[in-house]
Amino acid sequence: MKIVKEREPSLELKVLRLLKPRMNLPDQQHYVNLEKGYAGELKLDVWLEGLRNDCLVVNDLLLTHKGKVFQIDSLVIFQSMIYLFDSKYHKGNFYLDGNKWNTLADDEINSPLPQMERCESLLRQLLRQCLNTNLPIEAFLVFTHPEFTLYHASPKLPAIFPTQLHSFMKKMNKLDSKLNRSHEKLAEQLVAQHLNKSPNTQWPEYDFGHLKKGVVCSKCSSFMIERGRIWMCAACGQTENAQAAILRSIQEFKILFPKEKITSNKMRKWCAVEGDRKKVYRTLTNHFKKVGSRSASYYID
Ligand SMILES: [Zn+2]
């Protein structure tokens, strides 16, 4: 098994993680859902680490075909077939009533099936029409939460339940598979088509003036306190060298404000650094290139 593309949090999740300690998120539940989804995807990765066969794993693809955007959690490319896995991290007891998915308390939830079928169909079209391959695709919902149960599910439901993860992995490892250059090329082409930013994302509104300033703990997201050459977190005890903490905060600023200039004054405000002006200045000159002079100067990578 070879991983062609590693997973990382979406830009949306990265931005929301950085905003959360600094403002009240307009849709807290949406953020919680994204975190849960990502936790499920990481579980999927752990499961896929069990692959011993000759295959390629491509994670976390955001693709577009005929103007339609679709997201794939994981693809596993074998010699004569492709598996598409859609990670689901539902916890608790659910039952199926026809095509309707319900909790035991009779609250209907969105069926995850149509979305996966849409992905599968768009991927099939993309492979046939643009990437010249006829490899068959089999798609599955993969439920990775150990406390998930679905009553009344048909054996025909394209799903892998927590109790089936082990046997499904054994089945994949027994497939006859010997990859060649064409499989690698296919994986590379898919990665090349990956979009970094979903056009459908609704970004929360935020601006520099209204965000809470300071250095945020990398472990627990509380604000840290400056203690000479180190910053420390009163909430979890984490400590960090001052330069590393300031550099990390500047990188966070760059993700939140990609178009804004990095200036010494602004970074002092951003990190809420008191006293000696040199503290931030030193980090900037050590890690960035200074452009312009005097009051108009700013820093670039
Ligand atoms: Zn902390």
Side-chain angles (χ1 to χ4, degrees):
M1 183 267 269
K2 183 180 157 199
I3 297 175
V4 181
K5 182 175 177 295
E6 298 274 0
R7 187 180 315 282
E8 59 170 322
S10 65
L11 184 60
E12 184 184 16
L13 181 53
K14 278 187 202 163
V15 165
L16 292 181
R17 278 180 179 173
L18 296 180
L19 288 178
K20 190 173 167 270
R22 298 182 186 269
M23 69 182 273
N24 285 324
L25 295 179
D27 189 348
Q28 179 73 21
Q29 191 55 46
H30 176 61
Y31 165 72
V32 171
N33 291 344
L34 287 182
E35 283 288 9
K36 265 192 209 160
Y38 190 62
E41 289 163 23
L42 293 181
K43 291 262 186 184
L44 182 68
D45 293 347
V46 171
W47 177 58
L48 291 175
E49 280 171 17
L51 283 166
R52 296 286 172 264
N53 214 334
D54 193 7
C55 61
L56 298 170
V57 177
V58 192
N59 293 313
D60 184 26
L61 286 170
L62 189 62
L63 300 169
T64 172
H65 183 63
K66 289 186 179 160
K68 291 176 186 148
V69 177
F70 60 108
Q71 197 241 323
I72 291 170
D73 290 338
S74 290
L75 282 185
V76 185
I77 302 173
F78 287 101
Q79 181 184 336
S80 47
M81 70 167 306
I82 297 175
Y83 279 115
L84 183 161
F85 294 126
D86 191 2
S87 148
K88 294 290 152 205
Y89 203 46
H90 296 62
K91 180 186 173 189
N93 298 301
F94 298 81
Y95 74 92
L96 266 174
D97 178 12
N99 292 328
K100 280 198 300 183
W101 292 56
N102 300 289
T103 65
L104 285 196
D106 269 339
D107 286 325
E108 187 177 347
I109 61 160
N110 288 336
S111 164
L113 208 52
Q115 200 192 1
M116 184 190 79
E117 287 169 344
R118 175 181 176 272
C119 270
E120 184 186 0
S121 163
L122 286 167
L123 177 69
R124 189 171 291 119
Q125 295 173 46
L126 177 75
L127 295 185
R128 304 282 181 279
Q129 295 161 15
C130 307
L131 302 179
N132 266 329
T133 170
N134 279 315
L135 283 178
I137 302 166
E138 267 194 62
F140 290 91
L141 301 167
V142 186
F143 292 91
T144 46
H145 201 293
E147 291 174 44
F148 172 78
T149 302
L150 182 65
Y151 293 100
H152 300 168
S154 155
K156 286 182 188 155
L157 187 76
I160 304 168
F161 296 115
T163 49
Q164 299 173 315
L165 289 166
H166 185 66
S167 54
F168 199 96
M169 179 56 66
K170 275 211 294 209
K171 183 179 129 186
M172 286 198 288
N173 280 332
K174 279 185 187 155
L175 288 173
D176 263 337
S177 184
K178 191 86 199 104
L179 301 187
N180 59 40
R181 179 67 198 126
S182 71
H183 298 96
E184 279 175 24
K185 202 177 149 208
L186 171 64
E188 285 160 12
Q189 283 173 318
L190 285 168
V191 173
Q193 298 208 0
H194 170 68
L195 311 168
N196 276 317
K197 197 171 164 182
S198 168
N200 301 328
T201 305
Q202 303 257 326
W203 298 96
E205 277 187 37
Y206 59 92
D207 61 73
F208 184 79
H210 290 96
L211 293 183
K212 202 170 164 193
K213 312 297 187 298
V215 170
V216 173
C217 172
S218 61
K219 230 175 166 181
C220 76
S221 292
S222 303
F223 281 91
M224 300 178 92
I225 309 156
E226 192 184 359
R227 287 270 181 274
R229 290 188 177 191
I230 62 161
W231 286 73
M232 63 172 290
C233 175
C236 78
Q238 167 93 333
T239 57
E240 195 173 6
N241 164 288
Q243 282 227 13
I246 290 169
L247 179 62
R248 187 168 55 76
S249 301
I250 295 172
Q251 305 291 14
E252 291 174 2
F253 175 88
K254 284 174 64 184
I255 294 174
L256 291 175
F257 301 99
K259 288 178 188 152
E260 288 220 22
K261 281 182 179 159
I262 308 285
T263 67
S264 177
N265 255 340
K266 205 185 286 167
M267 290 308 103
R268 266 168 62 82
K269 274 190 205 151
W270 178 245
C271 303
V273 174
E274 312 265 315
D276 193 355
R277 290 184 155 267
K278 281 186 190 139
K279 289 181 207 165
V280 169
Y281 180 77
R282 220 174 282 137
T283 309
L284 283 168
T285 48
N286 283 347
H287 296 93
F288 298 88
K289 206 171 120 193
K290 193 172 177 180
V291 183
S293 60
R294 306 225 162 196
S295 60
S297 65
Y298 59 97
Y299 295 83
I300 57 171
D301 281 319

